[in-house]
Amino acid sequence: EVHLVESGGGSVQSGGSLRLSCAASGYTISRYCIGWFRQAPGKEREGVSSISIAGTTTYVDSVKGRFTISRDNAKNTLYLQMNSLKPEDTAMYYCAATRRFSCGEGFPTSEYDYWGQGTQVTVSS
């Protein structure tokens, strides 16, 4: 059984940083496309970043240059380093995993088979 457990969320002021972690069990993160999504109150869930088996990374335009996705294969853990945080980054952040080698363009949620419970990120101005 696949489990994805996020951690690292919290409350920060605008301009601050957080690092999210996603610990996986029953699933090897280095073998598939895996990524991060977020959902703000009253808004649809959106893809934030993904990383493929080849290490190719993708970011939504609004976080480019500020967020960095990475993975530690030995720890089987996915990370999202978030710098220069803005109030509009406030959302529940979810780790999501596929059974695909490459990541679909545009973060198609239908390709993500497993989801974590989420970790809340709140950025105050």
Side-chain angles (χ1 to χ4, degrees), residues 35-54:
W36 291 95
F37 287 72
R38 66 185 180 186
Q39 187 167 20
K43 295 188 177 181
E44 292 187 357
R45 188 171 295 189
E46 69 167 348
V48 175
S49 182
S50 63
I51 182 167
S52 73
I53 184 174

Side-chain angles (χ1 to χ4, degrees), residues 48-92:
V48 175
S49 182
S50 63
I51 182 167
S52 73
I53 184 174
T56 302
T57 57
T58 305
Y59 299 92
V60 67
D61 285 347
S62 61
V63 308
K64 286 180 180 177
R66 300 188 297 122
F67 290 11
T68 303
I69 191 171
S70 63
R71 62 187 177 209
D72 185 328
N73 295 339
K75 294 182 178 180
N76 208 32
T77 299
L78 180 73
Y79 300 101
L80 185 68
Q81 178 66 45
M82 306 186 296
N83 298 329
S84 302
L85 283 162
K86 304 175 181 180
E88 50 263 45
D89 295 318
T90 295
M92 185 72 80

Side-chain angles (χ1 to χ4, degrees), residues 5-16:
V5 180
E6 302 96 334
S7 61
S11 297
V12 296
Q13 291 189 329
S14 182

